[in-house]
Amino acid sequence: MAAAAECDVVMAATEPELLDNEEAKREAETFKEQGNAYYAKKDYNEAYNYYTKAIDMCPKNASYYGNRAATLMMLGRFREALGDAQQSVRLDDSFVRGHLREGKCHLSLGNAMAACRSFQRALELDHKNAQAQQEFKNANAVMEYEKIAETDFEKRDFRKKVFSVVFCMDRALEFAPACHRFKILKAECLAMLGRYPEAQSVASDILRMDSTNADALYVRGLCLYYEDCIEKAVQFFVQALRMAPDHEKACIACRNAKALKAKKEDGNKAFKEGNYKLAYELYTEALGIDPNNIKTNAKLYCNRGTVNSKLRKLDDAIEDCTNAVKLDDTYIKAYLRRAQCYMDTEQYEEAVRDYEKVYQTEKTKEHKQLLKNAQLELKKSKRKDYYKILGVDKNASEDEIKKAYRKRALMHHPDRHSGASAEVQKEEEKKFKEVGEAFTILSDPKKKTRYDSGQDLDEEGMNMGGELAGATWGEFDSCGMLECFPKMLQTLQRESLFGPNLNPGANNNRHGVKLMQSSVAGSQCAASSEEGSPGGFTDASRKTLDMRWLWDHLVEISPSLLCVTPESESQS
């Protein structure tokens, strides 16, 4: 009897419990239906709340966990959703939707291999399930993109492979939008490509969700490092290492940033102190620290180019500046430095091109003037270089120009090359005329000024090449020949016209002496009268070319005439 009573008591205790379970299930179903209604309205937060109430009422129901997992996925909370999906299939391994949601969460978080396993299980339960088939293909595609990206990233080929990594990560993130690893890899490549705002945006999004994410902190520092904000970059690298002391990339980047900053500052100091050789060495060492830091290396190349220009290694300076603009084609300072080197090496077309690039970018008065100066020098370079023809510097004095003219005229005089081939004679005659043309311009202060300033000379001045009929006695006397004529005649008479250097039987010699005598008489009147007016000479505008021929001819037959100059008379 006692046992029977105890059993009854037990039976009496279980009846209300069974009734309560049924009531809980009905209430849980009500919560589920309400959750479904909110889910259909896309009010996922309310749907989440009602699914949670349903789970609290009936925690062993796999579909409730599956529904809440779907809601969390719509809210982008994939890690929480993954937990619910896994719980649903633990409660019911035949729950196909549970396996699909588990696989979708794995894929969204970037775990494509685990996703494949979940989708395979769903296909085992329902081999005709179209969603499972498509998601399985998507998971395999993500694994392939990940494999290509990791391989290409290790190669660090900025012109091809890094772009490939970004492409692969973009495709993978279409299926795995919550994968931080893919985002970080993409952001790191964007930083390497100089797309800093995009890279920082990706890192910031991750840090908003997880402020202690060491990878995101590293990427933020990397962007600053590549933008040449090295001090701020070091702060982010240090912070990343606090979160993850074994973060290898952050450790290497931090070390490189500190070394680069120190070398660059030492190089700048040596340059300011005028120690260009040391500055060159320091900049070169800095360039070897991190070839991936494009912006800082562009500045280092430009700085080294400046050092080379100070050392007058202009070709090396141009090469350094070219390397700088290859790394950063917006680097105005490098264009300006290279343009100046082009000007110094008389490569005016290249200088104009660089100054045009600068002026298009920054339309300042200074840049406009630099461009105009280069264009003027280019225009001048396309004319005959009279200084080069005479073999004198652009700053040569009047006396230096005269002496150079006498030397070059004698060197290229046609009579000196009478025994040469017709081709050589023609070439020497051309040079002889150019010498006369050069002297006519450079011996006239007004024409010389116009020539030096790049202005167009008048038609008469520009057509002087050998045709010196327009030259006047005043222009001819600018080289001091009229002043020398009396002294020359005395020297010839003193040496005797019948000496070994003078053949009285030669018609050209007799003609030369006779012309000399008449020239002396004529010069006295021509020099005292207005330029171009007739004097004691029958033709006061006789061609200067004839008189120059006379000078060279007499020097040839009597070399001692070279000593007869206005300067030697003043010294004696």
Side-chain angles (χ1 to χ4, degrees):
M1 293 293 295
E6 186 176 348
C7 183
D8 290 339
V9 172
V10 172
M11 290 297 293
T14 58
E15 281 184 14
E17 183 177 345
L18 291 172
L19 291 174
D20 288 343
N21 284 339
E22 290 297 325
E23 184 67 27
K25 286 181 180 178
R26 285 194 295 271
E27 191 170 351
E29 279 296 310
T30 301
F31 287 138
K32 187 193 80 167
E33 292 299 329
Q34 288 177 304
N36 289 346
Y38 281 113
Y39 187 93
K41 295 177 183 179
K42 298 184 179 180
D43 188 347
Y44 302 117
N45 287 313
E46 280 301 312
Y48 171 81
N49 292 334
Y50 279 99
Y51 289 140
T52 300
K53 289 179 181 179
I55 290 171
D56 290 341
M57 295 300 296
C58 191
K60 300 296 184 180
N61 190 305
S63 65
Y64 297 164
Y65 284 101
N67 287 359
R68 190 169 73 172
T71 304
L72 288 168
M73 288 168 65
M74 297 305 294
L75 291 171
R77 294 157 62 178
F78 290 99
R79 292 197 179 279
E80 296 173 69
L82 177 62
D84 277 353
Q86 289 174 330
Q87 180 61 18
S88 72
V89 296
R90 276 195 293 267
L91 292 171
D92 182 2
D93 186 55
S94 64
F95 185 30
V96 175
R97 288 188 179 182
H99 287 293
L100 285 172
R101 286 164 185 163
E102 180 187 7
K104 189 70 175 175
C105 289
H106 278 308
L107 187 58
S108 296
L109 292 168
N111 191 345
M113 188 172 293
C116 282
R117 289 195 294 267
S118 296
F119 296 135
Q120 276 182 321
R121 179 57 183 155
L123 287 170
E124 288 172 3
L125 295 169
D126 181 4
H127 68 278
K128 293 183 178 181
N129 191 299
Q131 182 183 357
Q133 291 173 351
Q134 184 59 51
E135 293 293 354
F136 184 74
K137 291 179 181 179
N138 294 343
N140 278 292
V142 169
M143 284 195 292
E144 187 63 24
Y145 286 132
E146 184 178 4
K147 181 180 178 182
I148 295 171
E150 288 177 351
T151 302
D152 288 348
F153 184 78
E154 292 302 319
K155 295 178 181 178
R156 303 294 183 94
D157 184 343
F158 289 103
R159 294 292 173 258
K160 181 179 178 182
K161 299 303 181 183
V162 175
F163 282 109
S164 172
V165 175
V166 173
F167 173 82
C168 289
M169 290 299 94
D170 280 337
R171 300 289 79 75
L173 284 166
E174 291 176 4
F175 305 114
C179 181
H180 288 177
R181 184 163 47 85
F182 291 171
K183 290 180 179 180
I184 289 295
L185 185 57
K186 175 185 173 181
E188 191 172 352
C189 289
L190 290 172
M192 292 177 181
L193 293 170
R195 293 159 63 178
Y196 307 119
E198 295 174 69
Q200 288 189 1
S201 177
V202 173
S204 297
D205 288 343
I206 295 174
L207 289 171
R208 275 193 290 272
M209 292 182 284
D210 180 8
S211 62
T212 64
N213 189 297
D215 289 327
L217 290 169
Y218 160 71
V219 170
R220 284 293 304 274
L222 194 66
C223 290
L224 292 167
Y225 171 61
Y226 285 156
E227 288 184 289
D228 200 36
C229 300
I230 296 180
E231 288 186 11
K232 290 183 179 179
V234 170
Q235 294 175 7
F236 275 96
F237 293 145
V238 170
Q239 191 175 352
L241 289 169
R242 287 200 193 103
M243 299 298 110
D246 296 330
H247 199 294
E248 185 179 358
K249 290 182 178 179
C251 183
I252 293 172
C254 188
R255 184 169 64 246
N256 286 345
K258 290 178 178 179
L260 199 56
K261 181 175 181 290
K263 288 290 182 184
K264 183 180 176 184
E265 289 178 350
D266 290 344
N268 293 344
K269 182 180 178 182
F271 180 83
K272 289 178 181 178
E273 293 174 352
N275 192 343
Y276 301 129
K277 184 177 179 181
L278 177 59
Y280 177 88
E281 293 174 354
L282 289 168
Y283 289 140
T284 301
E285 290 175 9
L287 282 166
I289 292 174
D290 184 2
N292 296 330
N293 193 327
I294 294 173
K295 201 160 189 176
T296 301
N297 287 344
K299 292 182 178 180
L300 289 170
Y301 271 120
C302 187
N303 288 357
R304 196 174 73 173
T306 304
V307 171
N308 277 323
S309 69
K310 292 290 185 182
L311 296 171
R312 306 310 298 168
K313 297 179 179 178
L314 298 179
D315 289 338
D316 291 342
I318 290 172
E319 183 180 354
D320 277 340
C321 293
T322 299
N323 287 330
V325 298
K326 281 181 180 178
L327 293 176
D328 183 2
D329 61 0
T330 65
Y331 193 13
I332 297 299
K333 189 175 180 180
Y335 282 109
L336 288 171
R337 171 60 55 195
R338 186 172 70 173
Q340 183 58 55
C341 291
Y342 281 140
M343 292 289 286
D344 293 341
T345 54
E346 300 183 358
Q347 299 180 63
Y348 300 120
E349 289 187 4
E350 290 80 359
V352 168
R353 186 173 61 246
D354 277 356
Y355 282 132
E356 284 177 343
K357 171 75 174 178
V358 170
Y359 185 63
Q360 288 170 2
T361 306
E362 296 182 0
K363 295 184 181 296
T364 66
K365 290 183 178 179
E366 180 184 1
H367 295 160
K368 184 177 182 180
Q369 188 59 47
L370 289 170
L371 176 57
K372 287 179 67 176
N373 292 343
Q375 290 171 334
L376 177 61
E377 291 300 324
L378 175 60
K379 179 181 177 182
K380 288 163 63 176
S381 70
K382 292 184 176 180
R383 304 178 308 174
K384 289 182 180 179
D385 188 343
Y386 292 137
Y387 292 101
K388 187 175 181 180
I389 290 172
L390 292 183
V392 295
D393 185 78
K394 291 182 179 180
N395 298 318
S397 66
E398 185 178 350
D399 287 342
E400 289 172 334
I401 290 172
K402 289 178 183 179
K403 290 178 180 178
Y405 161 68
R406 293 169 185 165
K407 180 180 178 181
R408 292 293 174 120
L410 183 60
M411 182 187 303
H412 299 297
H413 194 285
D415 286 357
R416 280 185 169 268
H417 305 279
S418 58
S421 65
E423 185 178 349
V424 172
Q425 287 184 5
K426 186 176 181 180
E427 181 64 24
E428 292 298 326
E429 182 179 356
K430 178 184 176 183
K431 291 180 180 178
F432 181 67
K433 290 179 180 180
E434 288 180 342
V435 167
E437 179 182 344
F439 180 72
T440 300
I441 299 300
L442 299 183
S443 62
D444 186 305
K446 291 182 180 179
K447 290 181 179 178
K448 182 177 184 296
T449 300
R450 289 175 63 83
Y451 175 78
D452 289 343
S453 63
Q455 299 180 51
D456 291 329
L457 301 175
D458 52 46
E459 185 176 351
E460 177 186 359
M462 288 304 293
N463 293 328
M464 295 298 291
E467 299 179 9
L468 301 171
T472 64
W473 276 99
E475 292 171 345
F476 177 68
D477 192 38
S478 64
C479 65
M481 288 186 178
L482 291 178
E483 185 181 353
C484 294
F485 279 171
K487 186 72 174 180
M488 289 166 59
L489 187 57
Q490 293 174 13
T491 301
L492 286 172
Q493 291 172 340
R494 184 169 61 251
E495 290 187 351
S496 174
L497 294 178
F498 299 99
N501 295 325
L502 195 63
N503 181 2
N507 292 330
N508 61 338
N509 286 338
R510 283 199 295 271
H511 170 71
V513 173
K514 184 176 181 180
L515 182 59
M516 170 67 82
Q517 291 170 337
S518 62
S519 298
V520 170
S523 67
Q524 295 172 353
C525 297
S528 61
S529 62
E530 287 187 4
E531 185 177 63
S533 64
F537 217 14
T538 57
D539 182 5
S541 63
R542 180 183 300 277
K543 290 185 178 181
T544 304
L545 183 59
D546 288 341
M547 300 305 295
R548 288 175 180 158
W549 171 86
L550 175 61
W551 165 270
D552 295 331
H553 186 71
L554 291 173
V555 167
E556 185 175 8
I557 61 177
S558 183
S560 60
L561 288 177
L562 289 171
C563 300
V564 182
T565 63
E567 291 79 7
S568 63
E569 287 188 327
S570 64
Q571 291 171 356
S572 60

